[in-house]
């Protein structure tokens, strides 16, 4: 907490040195360094050009839920201290962070005031791990787990988990995933497996939490232990892609953006394709939010409106990072070259993404599944 305050304080002090008449918009983002770079090098300059006298300052709090936790701690401290104008104008956070901040009244319900807010209808714009966040968030982008496969070896990819199980028996050690310790593509596969094999998917995703689901979770993971006898456990997200590219496995779950980045960099064969499993595989958004007492709330809304516009979603989110757009894809298509659109949506259509792109389970179920995997699968 102190370190975060120090980082933000230094950024604000530096901003004040060079421009007394300048308004500084503070954008604080969880996630990897590329999130900070995106604001600093791309979004910020665009917004500044449209709003003379405004300087955008980006501060990063680190990857994963811990990055969002630092933002939560900062806002919560200002709320408890009755600070009138909070020094975070825009925050970019994970689902779990958004759920917590909405529950604790730390965010403003700004979406209705932003034109781009009407362009997102996917469930993730209203539901964050079982918490109603409708009005408080606009997705920056969606990351998605999908099944990558080599068409030369997999003529017809499995459509669901039952077909996948049968395929692994016919072709043992040709499917690989990274368990639950080597990266979130493997974790997502396990979450999808549990939802497809006996647990109540509506409760997992929307709640309320019901401890009696633990029996169904254990049963599903017992079946997964059998499934694992015919598969390869890869060393991580990158390890799955590496093994696919080398032909050591023919199929495995991957992050879509990471997959396309590897293909664009020449690290992955252009032959490899993607597919979704029914009833779905998890994905997750990052959210733009406005703190309840942001010092520059109206500027923050203008910034998010630009960031979530079809033009910026096309040029920044899709073309630069190979992420799926945060707003509904049909609004972005006209802003993209057909070749770029086809690359992102040929294998998995927007309809498939909407239908089979599932959220991760509620945090309580997430913990139950992770603990049960160690107890049931790894014992």
């Amino acid at each position: 907490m102190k370190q975060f305050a120090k980082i933000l304080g230094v950024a604000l002090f530096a901003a004040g040195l060079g421009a007394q008449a300048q308004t500084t918009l503070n954008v604080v983002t969880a996630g990897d360094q590329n999130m900070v770079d995106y604001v600093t090098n791309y979004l910020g300059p665009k917004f500044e050009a449209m709003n003379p006298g405004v300087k955008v300052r980006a501060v990063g709090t680190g990857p994963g839920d811990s990055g969002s936790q630092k933002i939560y701690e900062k806002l919560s401290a200002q709320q408890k201290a009755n600070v009138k104008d909070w020094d975070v104008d825009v925050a970019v956070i994970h689902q779990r962070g958004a759920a917590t901040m909405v529950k604790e009244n730390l965010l403003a319900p700004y979406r209705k005031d932003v034109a781009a807010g009407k362009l997102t209808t996917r469930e993730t714009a209203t539901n964050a791990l079982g918490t109603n966040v409708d009005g408080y968030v606009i997705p920056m982008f969606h990351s998605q787990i999908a099944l990558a496969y080599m068409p030369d070896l997999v003529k017809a990819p499995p459509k669901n988990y039952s077909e996948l199980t049968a395929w692994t028996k016919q072709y043992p050690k040709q499917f690989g995933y990274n368990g639950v310790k080597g990266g979130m593509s493997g974790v997502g596969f396990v979450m999808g497996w549990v939802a497809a094999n006996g647990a109540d998917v509506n409760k997992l995703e929307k709640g309320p939490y019901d401890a009696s689901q633990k029996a169904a979770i254990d049963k599903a993971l017992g079946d997964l232990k059998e499934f694992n006898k015919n598969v390869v456990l890869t060393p991580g997200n990158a390890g799955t892609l590496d093994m696919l590219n080398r032909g050591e496995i023919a199929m495995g779950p991957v992050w879509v953006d990471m997959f396309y980045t590897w293909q664009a960099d020449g690290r992955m064969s252009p032959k490899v394709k993607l597919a979704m499993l029914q009833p779905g595989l998890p994905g997750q958004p990052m959210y733009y939010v406005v703190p309840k007492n942001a010092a520059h709330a109206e500027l923050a809304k203008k910034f998010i409106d630009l960031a979530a516009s079809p033009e910026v979603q096309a040029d920044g989110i899709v073309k630069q990072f190979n992420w799926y757009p945060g707003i509904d894809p049909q609004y972005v298509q006209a802003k993209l070259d057909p070749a770029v659109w086809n690359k992102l949506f040929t294998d998995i259509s927007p309809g498939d993404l909407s239908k089979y792109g599932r959220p991760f389970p509620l945090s309580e179920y997430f913990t139950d599944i992770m603990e049960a995997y160690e107890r049931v699968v790894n014992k």
Side-chain angles (χ1 to χ4, degrees), residues 181-215:
K181 290 186 175 179
M184 288 300 291
S185 62
V187 172
F189 175 78
V190 172
M191 300 295 162
W193 175 281
V194 170
N197 285 277
D200 187 327
V201 66
N202 286 322
K203 284 188 177 180
L204 290 184
E205 295 177 0
K206 298 179 181 178
Y209 176 70
D210 180 357
S212 69
Q213 286 293 304
K214 288 183 179 181

Side-chain angles (χ1 to χ4, degrees), residues 98-299:
T100 301
M101 292 181 208
V102 167
K103 288 177 182 176
E104 298 199 14
N105 197 28
L106 294 172
L107 302 180
Y110 76 95
R111 196 175 106 192
K112 65 181 182 302
D113 302 326
V114 175
K118 301 178 178 65
L119 306 181
T120 177
T121 59
R122 191 168 166 179
E123 187 181 4
T124 50
T126 60
N127 174 32
L129 304 180
T131 297
N132 183 355
V133 295
D134 192 11
Y136 294 88
V137 305
I138 293 178
M140 175 186 183
F141 66 85
H142 287 95
S143 55
Q144 178 62 48
I145 298 167
L147 211 60
Y149 66 97
M150 183 64 76
D152 292 347
L153 302 174
V154 184
K155 303 301 182 184
K159 292 183 176 63
N160 53 50
Y161 287 87
S162 295
E163 290 186 10
L164 175 61
T165 300
W167 188 90
T168 59
K169 290 178 180 177
Q170 186 176 359
Y171 302 101
K173 305 301 181 182
Q174 288 299 298
F175 178 87
Y177 78 102
N178 52 323
V180 298
K181 290 186 175 179
M184 288 300 291
S185 62
V187 172
F189 175 78
V190 172
M191 300 295 162
W193 175 281
V194 170
N197 285 277
D200 187 327
V201 66
N202 286 322
K203 284 188 177 180
L204 290 184
E205 295 177 0
K206 298 179 181 178
Y209 176 70
D210 180 357
S212 69
Q213 286 293 304
K214 288 183 179 181
I217 290 170
D218 282 6
K219 171 63 169 62
L221 292 175
D223 295 338
L224 183 64
K225 184 174 183 178
E226 276 300 304
F227 173 84
N228 279 1
K229 293 178 180 178
N230 293 315
V231 311
V232 175
L233 291 178
T234 69
N237 294 329
T240 302
L241 289 168
D242 266 330
M243 294 183 74
L244 272 166
N245 196 49
R246 293 195 300 263
E248 296 173 14
I249 56 175
M251 186 163 43
V254 301
W255 284 109
V256 170
D257 57 309
M258 191 175 182
F259 169 83
Y260 280 126
T261 297
W262 277 43
Q263 280 196 333
D265 292 344
R267 301 168 65 189
M268 172 62 62
S269 168
K271 293 182 179 180
V272 183
K273 293 186 173 296
L274 296 173
M276 290 293 283
L277 281 174
Q278 301 172 17
L281 283 163
Q284 58 183 348
M286 293 288 284
Y287 290 134
Y288 289 116
V289 298
V290 177
K292 183 179 180 181
N293 291 336
H296 304 106
E298 293 308 312
L299 268 181

Side-chain angles (χ1 to χ4, degrees), residues 45-64:
K46 274 186 172 295
F47 190 72
E48 290 166 1
M50 297 168 64
N51 296 272
V54 175
K55 179 66 179 178
V56 176
R57 294 284 177 177
V59 177
T61 58

